[in-house]
Amino acid sequence: MVVFSNPSQPSDTYEMHPATPSSPEHRSLLRDDDLHEGTDAADAKGLRNLMLKLGASFFLFGLINNVLYVIILSAALDLVPPSTPKGIIAFCNIAPALVAKVGWPYILKGRIRYAKRLVGCCLLSAFGMLIVAFFDSLFMRLLGIGIASFSSGLGELTFLQLSTTYAPPSVAGHSVGYFSSGTGAAGLVGAFLWWEVRGLGVRVGVGLSSFMPFIIPLTYYFLLPPASTFLANYDDPPSAANVPYTAIPGEEDLPGEEEGSSRPGLKASVALSAQDKWRLVRPLLVRYMLPLFCVYLFEYTINQGIAPTLLYPVPSPQEHAFLSKIIHSVRDYYPLWQLVYQTTVFLSRSSISIGIPPLPMRLLSLPAIIQAVILVTLAVESAVGIFPSDLDEAWSIVTVFLLISLEGICGGSAYVNVFYRINQDQTTPSPHATAHDIERTRQEREFKIGSVGFADSSGILFASLVAVPMEVFLCKSQVARGKMLCKGL
């Protein structure tokens, strides 16, 4: 039996030592209830502090990694000339991220050097935002957006993979829950930040945001607890599910990420082949990827193609004192729908981190089904007008408000539950597993959670292609029945 020792950040070179019954390596966290049982008050307090640091770290990872994406979308009107379709910003903000999510887990192989990857993502994001800030040409700004997008996509799959290096499953799930919450908060924080700095202009406003990516390596090195610190006085035998990554300082020159995993004590490199990856992916296609793809396809089709046409007369102060304080012109409807959507996405992506139980596996497709019903309902409302408006337009506004809220809940719930479930979907090797077997199991876990990430990005990309003609069609349908509000925007 071998275990891995030497506590450090989970990413670097391994060293093998024989396990002894009295060694701290022999006692690992495995059972979830052991987190709170079998420890004295001091140990419990220390564990709570560790969990707090872990949650804060992954929340910051999700927030900073995704906030630049939101800032770019919020600044779209200021980044391109009036004659340029704003959809080109959305395309350049998602396509490179999709390339990163497909490229790294599927094409490249070997163990992951998390520190190098995250520092690289930080530098790429900052460089991309600086290009956007200091160049006025459309080509250079789109290039900068593409670089930042690639970095964001690579960062998202990296943090999800990083969560699998923690044990026991409750700790790994804790990290995923807070990362998801951070990505949800990015929508609100990014929109608010651009609202505050847009008066400074693109050069200063976007230039200031280029410093935000440096929070990621600072968090990784100074706040994130190493996976090995969650080892404690428990008697379960070590396995791939509960032995964290450990490192030997000073051996950075060994073969590493995307080159195979040659380590001391292993006679051959450990790297998943293309056949291995296809074998791992096939069970995930229907179980995880299809629901996530459908949710994001429907969600972003609603946001980009239908929501801009959900317009109603401005409520009068005499009849609707509350609504009239929120909606002052027809142009206020779309920002209102986006605010409602971002708020409910944040709340639903935070569901696991605030203690709401995850969806059962059999219900993972439910958000996609509800999302499809919402899409059809709002599309028919926009084209035909099915909500009651003969008595009071406020009923239509409130109904749309509720449906957009449900849309955000479904989108955020699908994201957090899919990645939580795949994070918890662990293969436990036999008690007699070798170091080679344990390393292979770890790489399989990292690959599986990383391979699913392209489903949401591809759904967004397809939605951007569907949304433009849908918006045009819905506006024409409104004009044909005498509703001219979409023409006044």
Side-chain angles (χ1 to χ4, degrees), residues 297-316:
L297 174 63
F298 301 151
E299 183 173 325
Y300 276 77
T301 300
I302 294 171
N303 292 343
Q304 299 175 8
I306 301 177
T309 66
L310 295 172
L311 307 171
Y312 302 93
V314 178
S316 65

Side-chain angles (χ1 to χ4, degrees), residues 92-93 95-101 104 121 124-125 145-155:
C92 291
N93 213 14
L98 179 59
V99 171
K101 291 181 179 181
W104 252 252
C121 288
L124 276 178
S125 293
I145 292 171
I147 292 173
S149 168
F150 182 89
S151 173
S152 177
L154 180 58

Side-chain angles (χ1 to χ4, degrees), residues 134-435:
F134 289 99
F135 289 89
D136 296 327
S137 72
L138 177 61
F139 172 79
M140 292 301 294
R141 285 187 170 177
L142 294 180
L143 175 64
I145 292 171
I147 292 173
S149 168
F150 182 89
S151 173
S152 177
L154 180 58
E156 181 174 4
L157 76 89
T158 300
F159 293 125
L160 289 169
Q161 290 174 323
L162 178 63
S163 72
T164 67
T165 67
Y166 285 82
S170 62
V171 176
H174 185 80
S175 60
V176 166
Y178 274 90
F179 175 77
S180 177
S181 180
T183 61
L188 295 174
V189 173
F192 173 77
L193 286 177
W194 183 249
W195 180 266
E196 291 296 316
V197 302
R198 66 191 299 249
L200 302 175
V202 169
R203 181 154 298 182
V204 177
V206 177
L208 288 174
S209 68
S210 66
F211 291 97
M212 297 182 69
F214 291 95
I215 296 175
I216 288 178
L218 291 175
T219 300
Y220 181 82
Y221 283 110
F222 298 107
L223 181 61
L224 178 68
S228 56
T229 59
F230 289 92
L231 295 177
N233 296 323
Y234 299 102
D235 297 326
D236 301 286
S239 71
N242 62 46
V243 177
Y245 284 85
T246 55
I248 303 172
E251 296 196 14
E252 292 293 328
D253 55 329
L254 290 176
E257 181 183 21
E258 284 80 49
E259 299 174 359
S261 295
S262 178
R263 296 194 178 99
L266 296 182
K267 293 182 178 180
S269 296
V270 181
L272 302 178
S273 66
Q275 291 78 8
D276 293 330
K277 292 180 179 181
W278 174 239
R279 172 181 56 82
L280 293 170
V281 162
R282 277 185 299 177
L284 309 180
L285 291 173
V286 175
R287 187 184 305 170
Y288 298 116
M289 296 187 190
L290 184 60
L292 200 60
F293 171 83
C294 290
V295 161
Y296 275 81
L297 174 63
F298 301 151
E299 183 173 325
Y300 276 77
T301 300
I302 294 171
N303 292 343
Q304 299 175 8
I306 301 177
T309 66
L310 295 172
L311 307 171
Y312 302 93
V314 178
S316 65
Q318 294 77 18
E319 297 181 5
H320 307 289
F322 178 72
L323 285 178
S324 64
K325 295 182 183 298
I326 302 174
I327 303 169
H328 303 96
S329 72
V330 175
R331 295 179 66 89
D332 290 337
Y333 280 105
Y334 183 68
L336 174 62
W337 305 146
Q338 292 306 298
L339 176 62
V340 172
Y341 162 76
Q342 294 288 2
T343 302
T344 51
V345 163
F346 167 57
L347 294 175
S348 57
R349 285 198 180 194
S350 303
S351 59
I352 289 178
S353 63
I354 62 178
I356 297 177
L359 286 176
M361 182 69 73
R362 66 181 184 278
L363 296 181
L364 280 184
S365 60
L366 181 61
I369 296 171
I370 298 175
Q371 203 81 293
V373 173
I374 296 172
L375 184 148
V376 172
T377 303
L378 291 178
V380 174
E381 158 62 13
S382 176
V384 180
I386 58 174
F387 296 156
S389 58
D390 51 342
L391 298 176
D392 195 341
E393 287 285 352
W395 285 106
S396 297
I397 298 173
V398 171
T399 305
V400 172
F401 178 95
L402 295 176
L403 287 174
I404 295 291
S405 299
L406 184 58
E407 175 212 351
I409 291 171
C410 288
S413 177
Y415 182 93
V416 67
N417 280 282
V418 162
F419 285 112
Y420 179 85
R421 285 296 177 188
I422 196 170
N423 175 278
Q424 302 292 288
D425 185 8
Q426 302 177 4
T427 301
T428 303
S430 69
H432 306 291
T434 65

Side-chain angles (χ1 to χ4, degrees), residues 28-40:
S28 59
L29 282 168
L30 177 63
R31 297 186 302 269
D32 292 353
D33 56 359
D34 282 341
L35 287 172
H36 304 290
E37 296 179 5
T39 59
D40 57 27

